[in-house]
Amino acid sequence: MTIIPDLLRKRAREFPDSTAVQIEDQERITFRELDVLSSRIANLLLREGLRPHDKVSVAIPNAHGIFYVASYFGTQKAGGVFVPINVRYSREEVEKQVRHSDSSFLLVADELLKGWRITGAGSVRVLALSRAKELLEGVSGTDPDVRIEEDDPAEIIYTSGTTGIPKGVVVPHHSITSFDETPWVQLFSGKTSLHPVPLYTFAGMTMTVLPIRLGMKCILMKKFDAHRFVDLLEKEQVFSVYAVSSMWLIVLKEVPDLRKRDFSGLLFLQFGAAPMPPSAVLELSDIFTQANVINLYGLTESGAAGYMMPFGEARSRPNSVGKPVDENTEIRIVDE
């Protein structure tokens, strides 16, 4: 049986002093420190009354990404269910999602709380980020004694799909942990991943957890900026990067000197979440000549990407989403 916190525990044992998460080229935390911080958050939630399968809504922007990631693992260590909140929501949208998810806690960045002016919603405990950090003083950093099963809910991700009304998708632990990363750790550990996507999205958290479970350094951008993104790609000699299709299109449009940059460290260039024009796929292949350009296609309900472009085939199939990732993925073509 494997649950999500196990993914962090493994890497904390293997790479305790390696950087796990970094905010651009500034604040950083090691795997061991992240594991301890997540356990402290778990123990805090339990002390404040969290019960098994209680929901914890979290509204924290990428600028506070280290605490966000620690809260993700900490909520699950406590047996809770992590519910990300879109930081661009209005107060009414936040309150609606908190009520709909039946959350017991709302952990929120101070600047957002001030703008939303949320003081509480029924039985929901509202915790400002600064207050949560104060409460962590003296809280144990050892794993709490909580039994969690792989079929237990781990997250509720709200997705609009094509209808425009967000619906909560319950993701169990096994949907995340079913992929066996063991064969890949030797290749990826110690390398760098760049993450420009908002953390509250499905891709945002998936593409944070994946580098962590592979022993990589995950660099979070506070917010996407095409020039800053390219600078970090080059400066940090990023090995693997995922950005949504629109971000890559902005990079191609706004950064004129791409062909003069040194991207020799980049091996995996990934995109998804929306269609990419075949011409842009070919242009990315021409610029990032040493990288595997990979389209990832999936849906929130599946827990991970269902289809992926095989290495080296993007140029010959620029309008394709690739092939099923493994034998557990079924495909049915219904029309052209």
Side-chain angles (χ1 to χ4, degrees), residues 99-131:
R99 285 196 303 269
H100 186 268
S101 64
D102 192 27
S103 290
S104 300
F105 289 84
L106 171 60
L107 179 59
V108 57
D110 293 65
E111 63 269 27
L112 296 177
L113 187 58
K114 182 179 179 180
W116 288 333
R117 298 183 180 178
I118 296 174
T119 57
S123 60
V124 179
R125 173 76 187 278
V126 178
L127 270 179
L129 180 58
S130 60
R131 178 57 178 159

PDB file of all heavy atoms in Angstrom, residues 99-131:
ATOM      1  N   ARG A  99     -18.069  25.894   0.958  1.00  0.00           N
ATOM      2  CA  ARG A  99     -19.317  25.246   1.396  1.00  0.00           C
ATOM      3  C   ARG A  99     -19.568  23.964   0.617  1.00  0.00           C
ATOM      4  O   ARG A  99     -19.918  22.925   1.185  1.00  0.00           O
ATOM      5  CB  ARG A  99     -20.499  26.200   1.206  1.00  0.00           C
ATOM      6  CG  ARG A  99     -20.579  27.317   2.229  1.00  0.00           C
ATOM      7  CD  ARG A  99     -21.958  27.965   2.206  1.00  0.00           C
ATOM      8  NE  ARG A  99     -22.275  28.477   0.866  1.00  0.00           N
ATOM      9  CZ  ARG A  99     -22.006  29.719   0.461  1.00  0.00           C
ATOM     10  NH1 ARG A  99     -21.387  30.565   1.279  1.00  0.00           N
ATOM     11  NH2 ARG A  99     -22.333  30.104  -0.757  1.00  0.00           N
ATOM     12  N   HIS A 100     -19.379  24.032  -0.712  1.00  0.00           N
ATOM     13  CA  HIS A 100     -19.672  22.867  -1.547  1.00  0.00           C
ATOM     14  C   HIS A 100     -18.775  21.688  -1.215  1.00  0.00           C
ATOM     15  O   HIS A 100     -19.202  20.532  -1.220  1.00  0.00           O
ATOM     16  CB  HIS A 100     -19.526  23.234  -3.025  1.00  0.00           C
ATOM     17  CG  HIS A 100     -19.938  22.132  -3.955  1.00  0.00           C
ATOM     18  ND1 HIS A 100     -19.040  21.200  -4.439  1.00  0.00           N
ATOM     19  CD2 HIS A 100     -21.158  21.798  -4.452  1.00  0.00           C
ATOM     20  CE1 HIS A 100     -19.682  20.351  -5.223  1.00  0.00           C
ATOM     21  NE2 HIS A 100     -20.961  20.680  -5.248  1.00  0.00           N
ATOM     22  N   SER A 101     -17.510  21.962  -0.900  1.00  0.00           N
ATOM     23  CA  SER A 101     -16.568  20.892  -0.563  1.00  0.00           C
ATOM     24  C   SER A 101     -16.727  20.424   0.878  1.00  0.00           C
ATOM     25  O   SER A 101     -16.104  19.438   1.284  1.00  0.00           O
ATOM     26  CB  SER A 101     -15.123  21.364  -0.789  1.00  0.00           C
ATOM     27  OG  SER A 101     -14.809  22.442   0.084  1.00  0.00           O
ATOM     28  N   ASP A 102     -17.538  21.145   1.647  1.00  0.00           N
ATOM     29  CA  ASP A 102     -17.754  20.814   3.067  1.00  0.00           C
ATOM     30  C   ASP A 102     -16.437  20.875   3.839  1.00  0.00           C
ATOM     31  O   ASP A 102     -16.126  19.996   4.642  1.00  0.00           O
ATOM     32  CB  ASP A 102     -18.400  19.427   3.199  1.00  0.00           C
ATOM     33  CG  ASP A 102     -18.909  19.146   4.607  1.00  0.00           C
ATOM     34  OD1 ASP A 102     -19.235  20.124   5.317  1.00  0.00           O
ATOM     35  OD2 ASP A 102     -18.960  17.969   5.005  1.00  0.00           O
ATOM     36  N   SER A 103     -15.667  21.929   3.570  1.00  0.00           N
ATOM     37  CA  SER A 103     -14.363  22.070   4.219  1.00  0.00           C
ATOM     38  C   SER A 103     -14.502  22.438   5.687  1.00  0.00           C
ATOM     39  O   SER A 103     -15.385  23.208   6.071  1.00  0.00           O
ATOM     40  CB  SER A 103     -13.522  23.135   3.499  1.00  0.00           C
ATOM     41  OG  SER A 103     -13.116  22.677   2.229  1.00  0.00           O
ATOM     42  N   SER A 104     -13.605  21.889   6.496  1.00  0.00           N
ATOM     43  CA  SER A 104     -13.554  22.206   7.923  1.00  0.00           C
ATOM     44  C   SER A 104     -12.575  23.338   8.195  1.00  0.00           C
ATOM     45  O   SER A 104     -12.680  24.030   9.209  1.00  0.00           O
ATOM     46  CB  SER A 104     -13.135  20.969   8.727  1.00  0.00           C
ATOM     47  OG  SER A 104     -14.050  19.916   8.543  1.00  0.00           O
ATOM     48  N   PHE A 105     -11.578  23.499   7.286  1.00  0.00           N
ATOM     49  CA  PHE A 105     -10.552  24.531   7.446  1.00  0.00           C
ATOM     50  C   PHE A 105     -10.391  25.292   6.142  1.00  0.00           C
ATOM     51  O   PHE A 105     -10.561  24.733   5.052  1.00  0.00           O
ATOM     52  CB  PHE A 105      -9.199  23.911   7.822  1.00  0.00           C
ATOM     53  CG  PHE A 105      -9.111  23.356   9.205  1.00  0.00           C
ATOM     54  CD1 PHE A 105      -9.569  22.073   9.480  1.00  0.00           C
ATOM     55  CD2 PHE A 105      -8.571  24.107  10.241  1.00  0.00           C
ATOM     56  CE1 PHE A 105      -9.494  21.551  10.761  1.00  0.00           C
ATOM     57  CE2 PHE A 105      -8.488  23.590  11.523  1.00  0.00           C
ATOM     58  CZ  PHE A 105      -8.953  22.312  11.783  1.00  0.00           C
ATOM     59  N   LEU A 106     -10.049  26.568   6.283  1.00  0.00           N
ATOM     60  CA  LEU A 106      -9.627  27.378   5.145  1.00  0.00           C
ATOM     61  C   LEU A 106      -8.304  28.014   5.520  1.00  0.00           C
ATOM     62  O   LEU A 106      -8.234  28.887   6.392  1.00  0.00           O
ATOM     63  CB  LEU A 106     -10.662  28.463   4.803  1.00  0.00           C
ATOM     64  CG  LEU A 106     -10.224  29.500   3.753  1.00  0.00           C
ATOM     65  CD1 LEU A 106      -9.898  28.828   2.434  1.00  0.00           C
ATOM     66  CD2 LEU A 106     -11.306  30.571   3.568  1.00  0.00           C
ATOM     67  N   LEU A 107      -7.233  27.553   4.891  1.00  0.00           N
ATOM     68  CA  LEU A 107      -5.900  28.112   5.092  1.00  0.00           C
ATOM     69  C   LEU A 107      -5.641  29.091   3.957  1.00  0.00           C
ATOM     70  O   LEU A 107      -5.670  28.715   2.782  1.00  0.00           O
ATOM     71  CB  LEU A 107      -4.855  26.987   5.088  1.00  0.00           C
ATOM     72  CG  LEU A 107      -3.393  27.379   5.254  1.00  0.00           C
ATOM     73  CD1 LEU A 107      -3.175  28.122   6.562  1.00  0.00           C
ATOM     74  CD2 LEU A 107      -2.504  26.145   5.183  1.00  0.00           C
ATOM     75  N   VAL A 108      -5.390  30.357   4.292  1.00  0.00           N
ATOM     76  CA  VAL A 108      -5.379  31.389   3.260  1.00  0.00           C
ATOM     77  C   VAL A 108      -4.266  32.401   3.509  1.00  0.00           C
ATOM     78  O   VAL A 108      -3.960  32.753   4.650  1.00  0.00           O
ATOM     79  CB  VAL A 108      -6.771  32.092   3.213  1.00  0.00           C
ATOM     80  CG1 VAL A 108      -7.139  32.668   4.569  1.00  0.00           C
ATOM     81  CG2 VAL A 108      -6.832  33.167   2.147  1.00  0.00           C
ATOM     82  N   ALA A 109      -3.627  32.843   2.426  1.00  0.00           N
ATOM     83  CA  ALA A 109      -2.587  33.871   2.515  1.00  0.00           C
ATOM     84  C   ALA A 109      -3.195  35.175   3.021  1.00  0.00           C
ATOM     85  O   ALA A 109      -4.329  35.528   2.678  1.00  0.00           O
ATOM     86  CB  ALA A 109      -1.946  34.088   1.145  1.00  0.00           C
ATOM     87  N   ASP A 110      -2.435  35.891   3.852  1.00  0.00           N
ATOM     88  CA  ASP A 110      -2.949  37.109   4.498  1.00  0.00           C
ATOM     89  C   ASP A 110      -3.447  38.138   3.489  1.00  0.00           C
ATOM     90  O   ASP A 110      -4.495  38.763   3.697  1.00  0.00           O
ATOM     91  CB  ASP A 110      -1.849  37.723   5.361  1.00  0.00           C
ATOM     92  CG  ASP A 110      -1.483  36.850   6.543  1.00  0.00           C
ATOM     93  OD1 ASP A 110      -0.963  35.739   6.341  1.00  0.00           O
ATOM     94  OD2 ASP A 110      -1.721  37.282   7.684  1.00  0.00           O
ATOM     95  N   GLU A 111      -2.706  38.312   2.388  1.00  0.00           N
ATOM     96  CA  GLU A 111      -3.095  39.337   1.421  1.00  0.00           C
ATOM     97  C   GLU A 111      -4.416  38.992   0.737  1.00  0.00           C
ATOM     98  O   GLU A 111      -5.202  39.883   0.386  1.00  0.00           O
ATOM     99  CB  GLU A 111      -1.986  39.554   0.386  1.00  0.00           C
ATOM    100  CG  GLU A 111      -1.652  38.351  -0.481  1.00  0.00           C
ATOM    101  CD  GLU A 111      -0.537  37.470   0.085  1.00  0.00           C
ATOM    102  OE1 GLU A 111      -0.377  37.462   1.329  1.00  0.00           O
ATOM    103  OE2 GLU A 111       0.122  36.783  -0.698  1.00  0.00           O
ATOM    104  N   LEU A 112      -4.689  37.716   0.563  1.00  0.00           N
ATOM    105  CA  LEU A 112      -5.961  37.305  -0.025  1.00  0.00           C
ATOM    106  C   LEU A 112      -7.093  37.460   0.983  1.00  0.00           C
ATOM    107  O   LEU A 112      -8.190  37.917   0.642  1.00  0.00           O
ATOM    108  CB  LEU A 112      -5.884  35.854  -0.500  1.00  0.00           C
ATOM    109  CG  LEU A 112      -4.892  35.554  -1.620  1.00  0.00           C
ATOM    110  CD1 LEU A 112      -4.878  34.064  -1.927  1.00  0.00           C
ATOM    111  CD2 LEU A 112      -5.234  36.338  -2.877  1.00  0.00           C
ATOM    112  N   LEU A 113      -6.820  37.071   2.218  1.00  0.00           N
ATOM    113  CA  LEU A 113      -7.837  37.168   3.266  1.00  0.00           C
ATOM    114  C   LEU A 113      -8.273  38.617   3.466  1.00  0.00           C
ATOM    115  O   LEU A 113      -9.467  38.905   3.645  1.00  0.00           O
ATOM    116  CB  LEU A 113      -7.278  36.596   4.574  1.00  0.00           C
ATOM    117  CG  LEU A 113      -8.260  36.464   5.744  1.00  0.00           C
ATOM    118  CD1 LEU A 113      -9.443  35.588   5.364  1.00  0.00           C
ATOM    119  CD2 LEU A 113      -7.551  35.908   6.963  1.00  0.00           C
ATOM    120  N   LYS A 114      -7.312  39.518   3.399  1.00  0.00           N
ATOM    121  CA  LYS A 114      -7.628  40.940   3.552  1.00  0.00           C
ATOM    122  C   LYS A 114      -8.538  41.415   2.426  1.00  0.00           C
ATOM    123  O   LYS A 114      -9.497  42.162   2.651  1.00  0.00           O
ATOM    124  CB  LYS A 114      -6.330  41.758   3.560  1.00  0.00           C
ATOM    125  CG  LYS A 114      -6.538  43.246   3.763  1.00  0.00           C
ATOM    126  CD  LYS A 114      -5.211  43.984   3.794  1.00  0.00           C
ATOM    127  CE  LYS A 114      -5.416  45.485   3.983  1.00  0.00           C
ATOM    128  NZ  LYS A 114      -4.122  46.223   4.005  1.00  0.00           N
ATOM    129  N   GLY A 115      -8.246  40.961   1.195  1.00  0.00           N
ATOM    130  CA  GLY A 115      -9.062  41.363   0.057  1.00  0.00           C
ATOM    131  C   GLY A 115     -10.448  40.747   0.079  1.00  0.00           C
ATOM    132  O   GLY A 115     -11.440  41.389  -0.279  1.00  0.00           O
ATOM    133  N   TRP A 116     -10.533  39.502   0.502  1.00  0.00           N
ATOM    134  CA  TRP A 116     -11.819  38.795   0.527  1.00  0.00           C
ATOM    135  C   TRP A 116     -12.663  39.156   1.754  1.00  0.00           C
ATOM    136  O   TRP A 116     -13.874  39.016   1.733  1.00  0.00           O
ATOM    137  CB  TRP A 116     -11.586  37.279   0.510  1.00  0.00           C
ATOM    138  CG  TRP A 116     -11.099  36.761  -0.798  1.00  0.00           C
ATOM    139  CD1 TRP A 116     -11.322  37.299  -2.032  1.00  0.00           C
ATOM    140  CD2 TRP A 116     -10.310  35.585  -1.020  1.00  0.00           C
ATOM    141  NE1 TRP A 116     -10.724  36.533  -3.011  1.00  0.00           N
ATOM    142  CE2 TRP A 116     -10.094  35.476  -2.411  1.00  0.00           C
ATOM    143  CE3 TRP A 116      -9.764  34.613  -0.182  1.00  0.00           C
ATOM    144  CZ2 TRP A 116      -9.359  34.435  -2.981  1.00  0.00           C
ATOM    145  CZ3 TRP A 116      -9.034  33.579  -0.740  1.00  0.00           C
ATOM    146  CH2 TRP A 116      -8.829  33.489  -2.136  1.00  0.00           C
ATOM    147  N   ARG A 117     -11.997  39.562   2.837  1.00  0.00           N
ATOM    148  CA  ARG A 117     -12.680  39.907   4.086  1.00  0.00           C
ATOM    149  C   ARG A 117     -13.552  38.757   4.589  1.00  0.00           C
ATOM    150  O   ARG A 117     -14.702  38.945   4.984  1.00  0.00           O
ATOM    151  CB  ARG A 117     -13.519  41.173   3.906  1.00  0.00           C
ATOM    152  CG  ARG A 117     -12.677  42.402   3.551  1.00  0.00           C
ATOM    153  CD  ARG A 117     -13.512  43.647   3.442  1.00  0.00           C
ATOM    154  NE  ARG A 117     -12.695  44.802   3.115  1.00  0.00           N
ATOM    155  CZ  ARG A 117     -13.166  46.033   2.917  1.00  0.00           C
ATOM    156  NH1 ARG A 117     -14.465  46.253   3.016  1.00  0.00           N
ATOM    157  NH2 ARG A 117     -12.355  47.029   2.623  1.00  0.00           N
ATOM    158  N   ILE A 118     -12.985  37.582   4.539  1.00  0.00           N
ATOM    159  CA  ILE A 118     -13.680  36.394   5.054  1.00  0.00           C
ATOM    160  C   ILE A 118     -13.313  36.226   6.527  1.00  0.00           C
ATOM    161  O   ILE A 118     -12.135  36.151   6.871  1.00  0.00           O
ATOM    162  CB  ILE A 118     -13.284  35.140   4.257  1.00  0.00           C
ATOM    163  CG1 ILE A 118     -13.752  35.277   2.793  1.00  0.00           C
ATOM    164  CG2 ILE A 118     -13.873  33.880   4.888  1.00  0.00           C
ATOM    165  CD1 ILE A 118     -13.274  34.159   1.908  1.00  0.00           C
ATOM    166  N   THR A 119     -14.309  36.175   7.374  1.00  0.00           N
ATOM    167  CA  THR A 119     -14.043  35.975   8.801  1.00  0.00           C
ATOM    168  C   THR A 119     -14.417  34.581   9.260  1.00  0.00           C
ATOM    169  O   THR A 119     -13.963  34.103  10.284  1.00  0.00           O
ATOM    170  CB  THR A 119     -14.831  36.991   9.642  1.00  0.00           C
ATOM    171  OG1 THR A 119     -16.230  36.869   9.337  1.00  0.00           O
ATOM    172  CG2 THR A 119     -14.367  38.409   9.334  1.00  0.00           C
ATOM    173  N   GLY A 120     -15.221  33.902   8.501  1.00  0.00           N
ATOM    174  CA  GLY A 120     -15.646  32.554   8.868  1.00  0.00           C
ATOM    175  C   GLY A 120     -16.891  32.203   8.086  1.00  0.00           C
ATOM    176  O   GLY A 120     -17.616  33.076   7.612  1.00  0.00           O
ATOM    177  N   ALA A 121     -17.141  30.927   7.917  1.00  0.00           N
ATOM    178  CA  ALA A 121     -18.314  30.469   7.186  1.00  0.00           C
ATOM    179  C   ALA A 121     -18.875  29.244   7.894  1.00  0.00           C
ATOM    180  O   ALA A 121     -18.463  28.126   7.650  1.00  0.00           O
ATOM    181  CB  ALA A 121     -17.951  30.136   5.735  1.00  0.00           C
ATOM    182  N   GLY A 122     -19.789  29.494   8.827  1.00  0.00           N
ATOM    183  CA  GLY A 122     -20.360  28.386   9.570  1.00  0.00           C
ATOM    184  C   GLY A 122     -19.327  27.742  10.480  1.00  0.00           C
ATOM    185  O   GLY A 122     -18.698  28.400  11.307  1.00  0.00           O
ATOM    186  N   SER A 123     -19.126  26.447  10.266  1.00  0.00           N
ATOM    187  CA  SER A 123     -18.189  25.699  11.113  1.00  0.00           C
ATOM    188  C   SER A 123     -16.766  25.695  10.561  1.00  0.00           C
ATOM    189  O   SER A 123     -15.900  24.998  11.082  1.00  0.00           O
ATOM    190  CB  SER A 123     -18.682  24.254  11.263  1.00  0.00           C
ATOM    191  OG  SER A 123     -18.770  23.629   9.992  1.00  0.00           O
ATOM    192  N   VAL A 124     -16.519  26.454   9.510  1.00  0.00           N
ATOM    193  CA  VAL A 124     -15.197  26.474   8.884  1.00  0.00           C
ATOM    194  C   VAL A 124     -14.226  27.293   9.728  1.00  0.00           C
ATOM    195  O   VAL A 124     -14.513  28.430  10.103  1.00  0.00           O
ATOM    196  CB  VAL A 124     -15.268  27.046   7.454  1.00  0.00           C
ATOM    197  CG1 VAL A 124     -13.875  27.079   6.827  1.00  0.00           C
ATOM    198  CG2 VAL A 124     -16.212  26.228   6.593  1.00  0.00           C
ATOM    199  N   ARG A 125     -13.067  26.709  10.014  1.00  0.00           N
ATOM    200  CA  ARG A 125     -12.016  27.422  10.760  1.00  0.00           C
ATOM    201  C   ARG A 125     -11.119  28.119   9.740  1.00  0.00           C
ATOM    202  O   ARG A 125     -10.480  27.462   8.911  1.00  0.00           O
ATOM    203  CB  ARG A 125     -11.213  26.421  11.586  1.00  0.00           C
ATOM    204  CG  ARG A 125      -9.996  27.009  12.281  1.00  0.00           C
ATOM    205  CD  ARG A 125     -10.354  27.816  13.507  1.00  0.00           C
ATOM    206  NE  ARG A 125      -9.195  28.503  14.051  1.00  0.00           N
ATOM    207  CZ  ARG A 125      -8.281  27.956  14.851  1.00  0.00           C
ATOM    208  NH1 ARG A 125      -8.397  26.678  15.191  1.00  0.00           N
ATOM    209  NH2 ARG A 125      -7.284  28.667  15.329  1.00  0.00           N
ATOM    210  N   VAL A 126     -11.074  29.454   9.788  1.00  0.00           N
ATOM    211  CA  VAL A 126     -10.249  30.234   8.866  1.00  0.00           C
ATOM    212  C   VAL A 126      -8.913  30.513   9.533  1.00  0.00           C
ATOM    213  O   VAL A 126      -8.861  31.081  10.629  1.00  0.00           O
ATOM    214  CB  VAL A 126     -10.945  31.546   8.465  1.00  0.00           C
ATOM    215  CG1 VAL A 126     -10.041  32.362   7.544  1.00  0.00           C
ATOM    216  CG2 VAL A 126     -12.278  31.260   7.790  1.00  0.00           C
ATOM    217  N   LEU A 127      -7.829  30.112   8.856  1.00  0.00           N
ATOM    218  CA  LEU A 127      -6.479  30.319   9.382  1.00  0.00           C
ATOM    219  C   LEU A 127      -5.672  31.142   8.381  1.00  0.00           C
ATOM    220  O   LEU A 127      -5.420  30.704   7.264  1.00  0.00           O
ATOM    221  CB  LEU A 127      -5.771  28.989   9.611  1.00  0.00           C
ATOM    222  CG  LEU A 127      -5.908  28.309  10.978  1.00  0.00           C
ATOM    223  CD1 LEU A 127      -5.144  26.990  10.974  1.00  0.00           C
ATOM    224  CD2 LEU A 127      -5.392  29.207  12.087  1.00  0.00           C
ATOM    225  N   ALA A 128      -5.297  32.357   8.780  1.00  0.00           N
ATOM    226  CA  ALA A 128      -4.389  33.141   7.942  1.00  0.00           C
ATOM    227  C   ALA A 128      -3.014  32.489   7.974  1.00  0.00           C
ATOM    228  O   ALA A 128      -2.621  31.867   8.964  1.00  0.00           O
ATOM    229  CB  ALA A 128      -4.300  34.566   8.456  1.00  0.00           C
ATOM    230  N   LEU A 129      -2.279  32.630   6.886  1.00  0.00           N
ATOM    231  CA  LEU A 129      -0.967  32.001   6.782  1.00  0.00           C
ATOM    232  C   LEU A 129      -0.048  32.438   7.921  1.00  0.00           C
ATOM    233  O   LEU A 129       0.657  31.614   8.521  1.00  0.00           O
ATOM    234  CB  LEU A 129      -0.340  32.331   5.422  1.00  0.00           C
ATOM    235  CG  LEU A 129       1.042  31.747   5.121  1.00  0.00           C
ATOM    236  CD1 LEU A 129       1.042  30.234   5.214  1.00  0.00           C
ATOM    237  CD2 LEU A 129       1.507  32.192   3.737  1.00  0.00           C
ATOM    238  N   SER A 130      -0.040  33.727   8.229  1.00  0.00           N
ATOM    239  CA  SER A 130       0.834  34.216   9.301  1.00  0.00           C
ATOM    240  C   SER A 130       0.455  33.599  10.633  1.00  0.00           C
ATOM    241  O   SER A 130       1.326  33.235  11.438  1.00  0.00           O
ATOM    242  CB  SER A 130       0.758  35.744   9.382  1.00  0.00           C
ATOM    243  OG  SER A 130      -0.576  36.170   9.652  1.00  0.00           O
ATOM    244  N   ARG A 131      -0.839  33.457  10.891  1.00  0.00           N
ATOM    245  CA  ARG A 131      -1.294  32.864  12.154  1.00  0.00           C
ATOM    246  C   ARG A 131      -0.939  31.387  12.201  1.00  0.00           C
ATOM    247  O   ARG A 131      -0.525  30.866  13.252  1.00  0.00           O
ATOM    248  CB  ARG A 131      -2.805  33.060  12.294  1.00  0.00           C
ATOM    249  CG  ARG A 131      -3.410  32.438  13.565  1.00  0.00           C
ATOM    250  CD  ARG A 131      -2.754  32.979  14.805  1.00  0.00           C
ATOM    251  NE  ARG A 131      -3.359  32.413  16.015  1.00  0.00           N
ATOM    252  CZ  ARG A 131      -2.756  32.376  17.192  1.00  0.00           C
ATOM    253  NH1 ARG A 131      -1.524  32.886  17.326  1.00  0.00           N
ATOM    254  NH2 ARG A 131      -3.364  31.857  18.239  1.00  0.00           N
TER     255      ARG A 131
END
